[in-house]
Amino acid sequence: MAGEITETGELYSPYVGLVYMFNLIVGTGALTMPKAFATAGWLVSLVLLVFLGFMSFVTTTFVVEAMAAANAQLHWKRMENHQEEEDDDSSTASDSDVLVQDNYERAEKRPILSVQRRGSPNLFEITDRVEMGQMASMFFNKVGVNLFYFCIIIYLYGDLAIYAAAVPFSLMQVTCAMGNDSCGVEADTKYNDTDRCWGPLRRVDAYRIYLAVFTLLLGPFTFFDVQKTKYLQILTSLMRWIAFAIMIVLALVRIGHGRGEGHPPLADFSGVRNLFGVCVYSFMCQHSLPSLVTPVSSKRHLTRLVFLDYVLILAFYGLLSFTAIFCFQGDSLLDMYTLNFARCDIVGLAAVRFFLGLFPVFTISTNFPIIAVTLRNNWKTLFHREGGTYPWVVDRVVFPTITLLPPVLVAFCTHDLESLVGITGAYAGTGIQYVIPAFLVYLCRRDTQLAFGFGTINKHRSPFRHTFWVGFVLLWAFSCFLFVTANIVLSETKL
């Protein structure tokens, strides 16, 4: 994401790419979705989830089209450079008349050759992994590039704050429940931060101790580069799907036995603000598409595969959230859904209770260093000057410090995960998922027409190729921004 052309990586089949995209999208946001569903009502939640999934699919096709256009420009530049080298090698005569005649002939012939080359479908083949930062520098002006990096940085800060709060919160919930009740949290138990955890320690004290330990253990990775995480990511993905499967099965069994406690409302518009942010955050993948799409070996039916992925993700989110809101009472659903399974009446096996309760600790802890290093590199790219290098102190101390401190301070002040996810998704998420892809596809289409002619067809163009869709996405993003801001202001005024 640090704005450059990177190695494509090992190729894989389209269906493996489908699995990778599914794993990327379904992450931490899914664990906060059940509570958001219960707060906003099941019908409103379902309608908004389907609509936001559709909008995310639209902007995903926009990014893929922009990637193809960026590849076409890179391929064309290589062809031009190669042609110039051939022309230079063939120019051995020293007579000025011969050179003039040669230049005249090349000038006469090149437009015809150029049109032939520009009509080739291979120009738009996605072979170079062009990160979003590089696409922004190709299609945006300087102000647009800076705004792009600002949006990415804010989103990554929100990501880190969510991670920094989720791990200590899960540890606090599990260990404090062990100290007060060997069977975990009871059905109607409500805890405050000032309640006792162990002995004189309050729950908030335990949370901050865990936050300090989390920062001391994982914070130093921000000062170095994280490499060779392939097998670690495979392990965490496996754990994630085991946890999701256990939660869905347990909830279905409980509902099937007639012990479901949930009676969610049809609609409650006061909860739409957080639901919107959670849903946007839960469909976030646009910033990682270059890494996912470029290594796909065959991109012939890429749009269909992406559509299938979104249908499967919608089905999964619906299954997870609906089983949750009908299994548990709305006010008993926790910000981190896994923690609802710390009850003996839900899970009889202690090992399963601890696995689900501590599941976010394992998976999120492995992602925190990767996101931190990504944010640090984006800071470096934002302030990078051509041909310049940073002093050692700035490179190794200042950038990692400004990366690590803000999210830790936010997590120190609050562990309200639903709000953190909602705000991150509603603001920075709206920029990354809607605004940036819309401007990218609009400007890349304009540049493609200027460079290759109006008759040129991008083989990976979006099905939503009419300019109306670009305007609709931008209008929707602006409306969402106003709605969320007004909702926050009105909520604060009431308080």
Side-chain angles (χ1 to χ4, degrees):
M1 280 231 297
E4 57 188 15
I5 302 169
T6 55
E7 293 183 6
T8 302
E10 186 179 349
L11 297 180
Y12 44 72
S13 72
Y15 294 102
V16 172
L18 182 144
V19 173
Y20 283 169
M21 180 176 286
F22 193 98
N23 281 336
L24 172 72
I25 296 177
V26 179
T28 314
L31 298 178
T32 61
M33 193 172 284
K35 183 178 179 181
F37 258 63
T39 305
W42 68 266
L43 182 59
V44 170
S45 299
L46 181 61
V47 171
L48 189 61
L49 180 68
V50 172
F51 180 73
L52 291 178
F54 169 74
M55 294 298 290
S56 180
F57 170 70
V58 171
T59 55
T60 295
T61 63
F62 283 175
V63 175
V64 172
E65 181 178 341
M67 288 167 55
N71 271 265
Q73 291 200 15
L74 293 173
H75 295 160
W76 176 244
K77 286 179 182 178
R78 291 195 191 107
M79 292 169 64
E80 286 282 310
N81 292 335
H82 182 66
Q83 180 68 26
E84 288 176 4
E85 289 175 3
E86 288 182 349
D87 291 343
D88 290 340
D89 291 339
S90 63
S91 299
T92 56
S94 59
D95 187 13
S96 60
D97 292 337
V98 175
L99 288 174
V100 170
Q101 180 66 23
D102 186 49
N103 289 335
Y104 176 79
E105 290 177 357
R106 287 206 306 270
E108 287 293 306
K109 293 177 180 178
R110 184 164 292 176
I112 299 174
L113 296 174
S114 299
V115 170
Q116 290 173 351
R117 287 169 182 163
R118 287 169 182 173
S120 171
N122 294 330
L123 272 179
F124 293 92
E125 197 64 58
I126 302 174
T127 56
D128 288 319
R129 187 169 129 186
V130 187
E131 302 290 355
M132 282 194 75
Q134 178 65 18
M135 284 192 284
S137 65
M138 291 174 71
F139 301 123
F140 294 169
N141 58 24
K142 187 175 181 180
V143 174
V145 171
N146 289 335
L147 288 175
F148 164 81
Y149 278 106
F150 177 77
C151 189
I152 287 287
I153 286 169
I154 295 299
Y155 171 75
L156 292 175
Y157 268 133
D159 240 2
L160 291 178
I162 293 165
Y163 291 174
V167 171
F169 179 73
S170 297
L171 287 169
M172 181 261 292
Q173 286 286 102
V174 172
T175 56
C176 289
M178 287 171 57
N180 295 324
D181 183 353
S182 60
C183 264
V185 184
E186 295 303 323
D188 299 322
T189 304
K190 288 290 182 182
Y191 288 120
N192 294 317
D193 284 348
T194 54
D195 292 341
R196 298 293 178 187
C197 182
W198 335 287
L201 276 180
R202 300 172 300 169
R203 291 171 62 85
V204 67
D205 298 327
Y207 168 78
R208 288 172 178 169
I209 290 172
Y210 284 130
L211 176 60
V213 173
F214 174 84
T215 306
L216 290 174
L217 290 178
L218 296 180
F221 286 99
T222 312
F223 294 81
F224 306 99
D225 289 324
V226 180
Q227 297 177 341
K228 297 180 180 179
T229 61
K230 176 182 177 180
Y231 296 107
L232 193 60
Q233 294 304 312
I234 291 174
L235 178 62
T236 55
S237 294
L238 183 62
M239 291 176 61
R240 177 165 69 229
W241 289 113
I242 292 173
F244 281 136
I246 291 174
M247 289 187 291
I248 291 173
V249 169
L250 289 175
L252 285 173
V253 168
R254 188 173 177 81
I255 294 171
H257 290 166
R259 292 185 291 162
E261 304 166 355
H263 302 284
L266 196 69
D268 185 352
F269 291 99
S270 63
V272 171
R273 181 203 10 143
N274 271 347
L275 174 68
F276 168 76
V278 167
C279 289
V280 171
Y281 185 82
S282 298
F283 281 112
M284 189 68 65
C285 70
Q286 284 74 8
H287 57 296
S288 298
L289 283 175
S291 302
L292 288 172
V293 171
T294 308
V296 173
S297 57
S298 174
K299 304 177 180 70
R300 186 177 177 184
H301 302 295
L302 188 61
T303 302
R304 295 179 187 175
L305 287 173
V306 172
F307 178 75
L308 175 61
D309 230 334
Y310 271 91
V311 171
L312 293 174
I313 290 164
L314 277 171
F316 173 78
Y317 282 161
L319 180 63
L320 180 71
S321 300
F322 273 85
T323 54
I325 62 177
F326 285 99
C327 180
F328 299 99
Q329 293 180 8
D331 56 355
S332 69
L333 279 167
L334 298 171
D335 288 344
M336 194 65 66
Y337 179 49
T338 51
L339 297 174
N340 280 94
F341 293 86
R343 291 163 40 181
C344 283
D345 59 329
I346 301 293
V347 183
L349 194 61
V352 176
R353 287 202 305 272
F354 288 130
F355 170 74
L356 292 177
L358 297 176
F359 156 72
V361 177
F362 303 126
T363 57
I364 292 174
S365 296
T366 59
N367 288 334
F368 185 88
I370 299 172
I371 300 297
V373 170
T374 303
L375 175 56
R376 184 200 68 193
N377 291 340
N378 275 278
W379 270 121
K380 290 182 180 180
T381 305
L382 179 61
F383 290 106
H384 180 69
R385 288 178 293 181
E386 197 67 33
T389 57
Y390 297 112
W392 184 89
V393 174
V394 175
D395 185 58
R396 292 295 182 180
V397 178
V398 174
F399 281 121
T401 302
I402 64 174
T403 297
L404 186 61
L405 277 183
V408 171
L409 290 175
V410 170
F412 182 84
C413 296
T414 180
H415 55 69
D416 187 351
L417 294 173
E418 187 184 16
S419 295
L420 287 174
V421 171
I423 292 172
T424 301
Y427 288 106
T430 297
I432 295 172
Q433 195 166 152
Y434 301 139
V435 179
I436 292 173
F439 278 112
L440 270 180
V441 79
Y442 177 77
L443 294 173
C444 87
R445 287 171 181 172
R446 186 190 65 179
D447 286 7
T448 299
Q449 289 177 349
L450 291 174
F452 305 115
F454 287 91
T456 306
I457 297 177
N458 186 335
K459 62 185 294 185
H460 292 293
R461 62 180 179 176
S462 169
F464 310 96
R465 58 183 64 101
H466 198 282
T467 310
F468 162 80
W469 288 104
V470 176
F472 179 71
V473 168
L474 290 174
L475 179 63
W476 168 250
F478 182 69
S479 303
C480 292
F481 179 84
L482 288 181
F483 167 75
V484 172
T485 304
N487 198 292
I488 291 174
V489 172
L490 292 174
S491 299
E492 294 296 325
T493 304
K494 290 179 181 178
L495 292 176

